[in-house]
Amino acid sequence: MTTTTTDFAAVSDALRSNERFLVVTHENPDGDALGSMLGATLGLRALGKDVLMYLAGDAPLPGEFGFLPLGELRRKLPDDLEQRVLLAVDCANQRRISSTTDAIDRARLVIDVDHHHDNNRFGDANLIVADASSTAEIVHDLLVELGVDLTPEIAEALYVGLVTDTGKFQYTNTSPKALRLAADLVEAGADLHGIFRNVWESVQFAKLKLLARALDRAQLYEGGRLLVTHLLGSDFAEVGAEEPYSEGIIDYLRQVAGTELVALIREPPTEGGPTHRVSLRSSKDEVDVSAIARQRGGGGHRQAAGFSSEQPIEEIVAFIRRAFVAATSGQGAADAAASG
């Protein structure tokens, strides 16, 4: 998926020429989702725009992002949505905004800004930059185009999106542009030490207990190249954890030596959602987990993706094993031929 000058111009013109916005991101938001939403909101407000923020569902935000100024975040759609432009950030498809299409259907205009390569371009205007490190990087480029001065608050929000989606600048999406952007955001006032402490060194004790359960159930398959574990809905209540506490657990699991794909299956502790949510992470670019997730109606990045399922855990594990073998069988033959 490529980005054209027309895409960028169409979105920047739509942002410039409209005055009332609703900025939304995906349910169960991560750092890039929240940072991009907040950064876009603050940037548009700096231009004198009327901007609201919305997140579907009633699950609490991940505790590690509690330091961000998100007190105005709405959990219900505004009554005047028909007069607002909906700006969706970090959403690969409209289903990620909400289980219903109310927001998309009611908005006067829909703008889609994202970096997922499998984005289905659901907006009236779309800016999809598949090789961007994060959606925050794209939001930054738009704000610069619109002439917004980077305040410390905007810089900090965008830095959260950048640093979390690049895994503290360790993932393969860490480009030279991403590193230059990090320096610019710090120069503009982002408190990188404070962000690090809040995001990675303020872990709730209940989250560590949840991690312990995931580690206890972890199983290795395919000669140690595949690791799968799960969390039960009862685990959350027993350790005193909210559903967002499970975010980030998979990043601990991907540290296991020799693994090429790691999967975390979890039963959401809240009612009204899917029976299971599945997160996938790969350590090799050859293993495209977004392609695996799309087989079950999900999506994401090549090395970070997910899907929902109504199947039992055992059947989900069996599917992941089959998909992993299929994804790596050609790779294994090529490696064998090369070594021979």
Side-chain angles (χ1 to χ4, degrees):
M1 185 178 298
T2 58
T3 303
T4 67
T5 303
T6 304
D7 294 328
F8 190 87
V11 168
S12 58
D13 287 347
L15 294 175
R16 185 180 292 109
S17 60
N18 288 279
E19 297 301 322
R20 305 180 72 189
F21 294 87
L22 180 69
V23 184
V24 307
T25 192
H26 59 78
E27 293 184 284
N28 300 300
D30 56 10
D32 191 26
L34 294 173
S36 297
M37 177 175 63
L38 180 58
T41 297
L42 295 175
L44 290 172
R45 285 179 178 172
L47 296 173
K49 312 287 188 180
D50 176 357
V51 191
L52 302 175
M53 293 182 289
Y54 167 75
L55 179 67
D58 56 7
L61 300 181
E64 56 266 37
F65 303 116
F67 69 100
L68 291 173
L70 292 165
E72 298 178 20
L73 182 63
R74 293 169 173 250
R75 308 310 289 266
K76 292 184 179 180
L77 292 171
D79 294 336
D80 64 349
L81 179 54
E82 287 78 5
Q83 284 77 52
R84 292 183 180 273
V85 172
L86 186 145
L87 170 59
V89 294
D90 205 42
C91 299
N93 56 65
Q94 53 269 54
R95 295 189 309 275
R96 297 229 61 198
I97 300 172
S98 173
S99 57
T100 70
T101 60
D102 286 357
I104 297 291
D105 294 341
R106 290 177 52 196
R108 188 168 63 82
L109 181 76
V110 177
I111 301 175
D112 172 22
V113 175
D114 186 32
H115 74 132
H116 293 89
H117 71 282
D118 57 352
N119 184 289
N120 66 359
R121 303 180 72 87
F122 59 87
D124 299 301
N126 302 278
L127 178 57
I128 316 303
V129 188
D131 58 355
S133 64
S134 56
T135 300
E137 179 183 308
I138 309 170
V139 171
H140 168 268
D141 291 348
L142 284 169
L143 295 182
V144 170
E145 172 66 19
L146 294 172
V148 175
D149 292 329
L150 288 183
T151 64
E153 293 77 17
I154 295 173
E156 188 145 298
L158 296 180
Y159 188 89
V160 167
L162 175 64
V163 73
T164 54
D165 243 34
T166 58
K168 294 175 284 189
F169 308 110
Q170 297 178 88
Y171 298 161
T172 56
N173 60 334
T174 305
S175 63
K177 180 180 178 181
L179 294 172
R180 286 192 292 268
L181 174 57
D184 291 342
L185 295 176
V186 172
E187 192 171 56
D191 179 4
L192 76 166
H193 300 297
I195 292 171
F196 180 81
R197 285 195 306 272
N198 279 292
V199 177
W200 286 284
E201 292 187 337
S202 298
V203 180
Q204 302 90 344
F205 187 46
K207 182 168 185 172
L208 293 179
K209 289 184 176 181
L210 209 58
L211 171 62
R213 299 205 173 195
L215 290 172
D216 188 55
R217 297 193 184 112
Q219 297 288 325
L220 290 171
Y221 302 97
E222 313 308 328
R225 296 186 298 142
L226 169 64
L227 184 151
V228 183
T229 191
H230 66 274
L231 291 170
L232 301 174
S234 58
D235 291 332
F236 292 85
E238 290 170 3
V239 304
E242 304 280 358
E243 183 177 1
Y245 286 28
S246 62
E247 293 294 329
I249 284 179
I250 195 168
D251 295 314
Y252 289 94
L253 303 173
R254 69 192 299 174
Q255 299 176 34
V256 176
T259 56
E260 299 176 13
L261 189 152
V262 174
L264 170 64
I265 306 165
R266 65 188 189 278
E267 293 179 352
T270 54
E271 298 180 357
T275 303
H276 295 104
R277 297 185 189 275
V278 184
S279 298
L280 305 172
R281 299 289 187 272
S282 67
S283 59
K284 300 185 69 173
D285 194 55
E286 293 82 358
V287 182
D288 182 358
V289 292
S290 70
I292 296 175
R294 283 197 297 274
Q295 296 179 46
R296 290 295 185 270
H301 304 295
R302 288 188 64 87
Q303 294 187 293
F307 63 93
S308 298
S309 176
E310 302 300 321
Q311 292 183 311
I313 290 174
E314 295 77 12
E315 293 184 24
I316 298 173
V317 173
F319 160 70
I320 293 171
R321 293 186 66 180
R322 291 194 303 271
F324 175 74
V325 170
T328 57
S329 58
Q331 170 194 334
D335 290 344
S339 63

